[in-house]
Amino acid sequence: MRNRFWGIIPLILILTVSANAWVLVIKGGKIFTMSGGVIEDGTIIIENNRISEVGKNPEIPRGAEIIDAAGKVVTPGLIDAFSYIGLSEIWAVGQTVDVNESSDPVTPEVRVIDAFNTQSALIPVTRIEGVTTVLSAPGTQNPISGQSAVMELSGETIDEMIIKSPAALHINFGESPTSYWRAKKRIDTRMGLAAILRQAFIEAEEYRVKWAGYESKLKSYEENQGLPRKKQKKDIIEPTPPPRDLGLETMALALDGEIPVIASAHRRDDILAAIKISEEFDFRLIILYGTEAYKIADILKKKNIPVLLGPVTTQPS
């Protein structure tokens, strides 16, 4: 899979079992637990598709199906923190790729869940490798590329697989967005990219103010309507809501702190630019890739900014 999140992945035993199994026991493996502890020659008991007990020598229920994991490593399902799973199949065949929406450089309204292919051949392959949950995200070629979703890699329909949507708003810095747009809205420099991002967030702030004003007027109107007719004020009329804008609504969620903003940035200066814009507009920032994040690790730590660490090389992307 191209562009999957790079990370250190341990050896995993993936055990596929019948959904109808009442009690399943995985016995004898080296178990890495969620709390960080390791149980040598441990046992996992699963009842009704839920883990009921993990330990050294728990009592095994009578009639349980037992899988011998001796010599194997057993871990919880891994989470891929950035992926195009469900959006891409064969990169050389454009009809199977729904990663970058190229109709406009600013597309916060696009949602991964509207293109996610639940029957993608890459899903079972990824699951076999031990990844059971992914952040499926739009690409990095737009300054604002859209909304990601946290997806469980099992289920037949979108509704069965969604854990959270939208999970984050995605913005992008550096070479990818500044080199991609060569058509109607050309972006030549990092200066132009930053200007587009700022303008979009200013419009989102204004949109949020308009809707806050409408909701305040609507509340006053409803309170007035609830009074006896003789006490109602005639000058309070029902307000007209502002026109809806799906993109600005999504950006308003980020400005309200309901979802984070994931900013892809490789170079030190791009990471600092992302931090500056996040502080100007007061949104929660997560850095994606962070190739040169080590150069400003003290700043990232001080500001408590997480990094989804990507490639470890410093060549142009």
Side-chain angles (χ1 to χ4, degrees), residues 14 42 45 63 80 91 99 101 105 145 169 181 213 233 238 289 306:
I14 296 302
I45 299 176
D80 190 334
W91 280 90
V99 172
E101 173 55 53
S145 54
L169 172 68
W181 280 95
K233 297 179 180 179
E238 185 174 3
Y289 299 135

Side-chain angles (χ1 to χ4, degrees), residues 165-302:
S165 176
L169 172 68
H170 288 253
I171 66 177
N172 304 291
F173 290 79
E175 298 158 12
S176 186
T178 56
S179 63
Y180 177 64
W181 280 95
R182 302 299 183 192
K184 297 178 182 178
K185 297 185 179 180
R186 177 170 174 164
I187 306 168
D188 288 317
T189 66
R190 284 172 165 84
M191 295 183 292
L193 172 62
I196 285 178
L197 289 170
R198 282 193 174 90
Q199 184 61 45
F201 278 108
I202 287 171
E203 292 174 6
E205 285 183 329
E206 293 172 348
Y207 182 81
R208 188 170 56 161
V209 169
K210 287 179 182 178
W211 272 92
Y214 162 73
E215 290 168 357
S216 177
K217 291 178 181 178
L218 181 62
K219 181 180 179 181
S220 297
Y221 170 76
E222 292 174 344
E223 290 174 350
N224 188 58
Q225 289 296 105
L227 296 173
R229 186 173 295 275
K230 290 182 180 181
K231 293 185 177 181
Q232 289 180 7
K233 297 179 180 179
K234 294 182 179 180
D235 60 337
I236 298 182
I237 60 175
E238 185 174 3
T240 302
R244 289 188 61 187
D245 185 300
L246 296 179
L248 294 178
E249 283 183 12
T250 304
M251 296 184 70
L253 291 177
L255 293 175
D256 288 334
E258 295 186 31
I259 59 174
V261 175
I262 295 180
S264 69
H266 289 274
R267 279 180 16 184
R268 175 185 180 276
D269 55 334
D270 289 327
I271 298 171
L272 289 172
I275 293 172
K276 184 173 180 58
I277 291 177
S278 73
E279 291 176 343
E280 287 178 24
F281 295 97
D282 194 27
F283 56 73
R284 286 190 292 138
L285 177 67
I286 298 172
I287 297 296
L288 171 66
Y289 299 135
T291 311
E292 292 189 342
Y294 71 94
K295 293 184 177 182
I296 52 171
D298 54 338
I299 295 175
L300 292 166
K301 180 179 180 181
K302 181 179 178 180

Side-chain angles (χ1 to χ4, degrees), residues 10-255:
L11 176 65
I12 294 176
L13 173 66
I14 296 302
L15 301 168
T16 304
V17 299
S18 168
N20 297 321
W22 179 255
V23 181
L24 175 72
V25 175
I26 303 171
K27 190 173 186 298
K30 183 178 183 179
I31 302 171
F32 287 79
T33 68
M34 289 292 291
S35 61
V38 178
I39 303 174
E40 298 283 353
D41 191 22
T43 299
I44 301 172
I45 299 176
I46 302 170
E47 300 183 72
N48 296 324
N49 296 317
R50 299 288 181 184
I51 294 175
S52 61
E53 192 169 358
V54 179
K56 187 70 174 177
N57 293 300
E59 183 178 348
I60 297 176
R62 181 178 300 178
E65 178 182 350
I66 299 177
I67 296 178
D68 183 6
K72 307 295 184 181
V73 170
V74 184
T75 79
L78 299 180
I79 299 173
D80 190 334
F82 183 80
S83 170
Y84 296 145
I85 290 291
L87 300 183
S88 65
E89 202 71 15
I90 303 172
W91 280 90
V93 181
Q95 295 91 335
T96 70
V97 180
D98 284 303
V99 172
N100 290 291
E101 173 55 53
S102 59
S103 60
D104 194 274
V106 177
T107 57
E109 68 277 8
V110 301
R111 309 186 307 173
V112 160
I113 60 172
D114 291 327
F116 193 91
N117 178 12
T118 61
Q119 296 297 305
S120 168
L122 300 181
I123 290 177
V125 173
T126 303
R127 204 166 53 225
I128 286 172
E129 293 298 325
V131 178
T132 58
T133 304
V134 300
L135 179 80
S136 183
T140 60
Q141 292 183 332
N142 288 358
I144 302 179
S145 54
Q147 310 164 35
S148 59
V150 180
M151 306 294 290
E152 183 179 5
L153 297 185
S154 62
E156 296 296 323
T157 67
I158 289 291
D159 290 338
E160 290 175 349
M161 299 175 76
I162 290 176
I163 296 175
K164 184 178 182 181
S165 176
L169 172 68
H170 288 253
I171 66 177
N172 304 291
F173 290 79
E175 298 158 12
S176 186
T178 56
S179 63
Y180 177 64
W181 280 95
R182 302 299 183 192
K184 297 178 182 178
K185 297 185 179 180
R186 177 170 174 164
I187 306 168
D188 288 317
T189 66
R190 284 172 165 84
M191 295 183 292
L193 172 62
I196 285 178
L197 289 170
R198 282 193 174 90
Q199 184 61 45
F201 278 108
I202 287 171
E203 292 174 6
E205 285 183 329
E206 293 172 348
Y207 182 81
R208 188 170 56 161
V209 169
K210 287 179 182 178
W211 272 92
Y214 162 73
E215 290 168 357
S216 177
K217 291 178 181 178
L218 181 62
K219 181 180 179 181
S220 297
Y221 170 76
E222 292 174 344
E223 290 174 350
N224 188 58
Q225 289 296 105
L227 296 173
R229 186 173 295 275
K230 290 182 180 181
K231 293 185 177 181
Q232 289 180 7
K233 297 179 180 179
K234 294 182 179 180
D235 60 337
I236 298 182
I237 60 175
E238 185 174 3
T240 302
R244 289 188 61 187
D245 185 300
L246 296 179
L248 294 178
E249 283 183 12
T250 304
M251 296 184 70
L253 291 177
L255 293 175

